[in-house]
Amino acid sequence: EAGVAQSPRYKIIEKRQSVAFWCNPISGHATLYWYQQILGQGPKLLIQFQNNGVVDDSQLPKDRFSAERLKGVDSTLKIQPAKLEDSAVYLCASSFRTSGVIYFGPGTRLTVL
Amino acid sequence: DAKTTQPNSMESNEEEPVHLPCNHSTISGTDYIHWYRQLPSQGPEYVIHGLTSNVNNRMASLAIAEDRKSSTLILHRATLRDAAVYYCILRDPNNAGNMLTFGGGTRLMVKP
C-alpha cells in the first residue's frame, strides 16, 4: 500500500514570497491533516479535513495560510506571504476515519530567508 | 484537550529493554492512549494504542495503569534503529475534531 505522498520535499523562499505544498493521502482515507513542526518541537495541527470539509482549522493563521482539499482526495496548503517564523517542516497525514491510526507523509522542509 | 507529560530524554543500551513513561492525569474515560515515534528526518509513525488493557504488537508493548493516569511504552530489546522521539498522545474517538495534539515527546538515545 502506498503511503502519504508530499511534494516538494524541500523549499527555500524569501520572506514575503508565496509557497504551496501538495499532499496525496492514502487511497480511501477520508480524514486528512496538515501539521507544522518547528525544529525541536512536536507537530502542531494546522487543519483537519473530513472528505472535502474542514473539521478543525482553529490553529491555522488564516491571514496568511490557506488549505483546500479538492474532491476529498488531494490537498494543498498555501502560505502567502511567508514570514521568517514559518520556517518548519510541514507534515501531511491521513487516516481512514477520525478515530483511526494516522499515517504521516515525509514532510516538506520550508526555509524562509 | 487532555495533556500528557513525558521526560525530555532517555538513554538505553542496545539490546536492553526500554520503558518510556507517560503521565496523563486528566485523561477522560473515552480517551485512547496512542504512541507514535519520529525517526530523524521522517514523519511520525504509529507504534501502538490502547484504552484500558495492556497491549502488545510486533513493535512494542503498552502497559496502562489501573487508574489510566499513566502508561508505559516498552521496547523489549532496543536497537540503534529505535533511536527516535517518542510521543504519547490522547485521542478521543467521540471527538469529531480529534486533533491528536503532540507534546514535546521523549528523545530516546540508544548506545551500542
Side-chain angles (χ1 to χ4, degrees), chain A residues 5 7 12 22 30-31 34 55 65 69 76 79 82 84-85 88 93-94 102 104 108 113:
Chain A
S7 68
I12 300 174
W22 174 82
T31 309
W34 282 102
V55 174
F65 285 64
R69 190 179 184 195
T76 55
I79 307 175
L84 296 177
E85 59 261 35
S94 69
I102 294 185
F104 286 83
T108 297
L113 302 175

Side-chain angles (χ1 to χ4, degrees), chain A residues 60-104:
Chain A
L60 187 74
K62 299 181 186 62
D63 58 334
R64 298 184 301 105
F65 285 64
S66 64
E68 60 181 6
R69 190 179 184 195
L70 300 175
K71 300 179 182 177
V73 181
D74 293 6
S75 177
T76 55
L77 176 70
K78 296 179 182 178
I79 307 175
Q80 180 179 6
K83 292 185 175 181
L84 296 177
E85 59 261 35
D86 298 332
S87 293
V89 175
Y90 290 84
L91 295 160
C92 180
S94 69
S95 62
F96 181 68
R97 46 191 168 86
T98 56
S99 60
V101 172
I102 294 185
Y103 297 87
F104 286 83

Side-chain angles (χ1 to χ4, degrees), chain B residues 23-68:
Chain B
N23 288 319
H24 28 79
S25 58
T26 59
I27 190 171
S28 74
T30 52
D31 283 331
Y32 279 75
I33 302 157
H34 283 241
W35 284 81
Y36 284 72
R37 73 178 185 180
Q38 188 169 23
L39 301 171
S41 300
Q42 295 187 25
E45 64 174 349
Y46 168 80
V47 177
I48 200 167
H49 77 284
L51 183 62
T52 56
S53 304
N54 295 343
V55 184
N56 299 297
N57 66 21
R58 63 175 179 81
M59 288 182 72
S61 295
L62 176 60
I64 301 172
E66 196 169 333
D67 63 5
R68 299 204 335 119

Side-chain angles (χ1 to χ4, degrees), chain B residues 8-26:
Chain B
N8 289 334
S9 64
M10 290 185 65
E11 209 170 77
S12 171
N13 293 317
E14 197 176 12
E15 298 191 4
E16 289 186 356
V18 182
H19 290 230
L20 297 165
C22 181
N23 288 319
H24 28 79
S25 58
T26 59

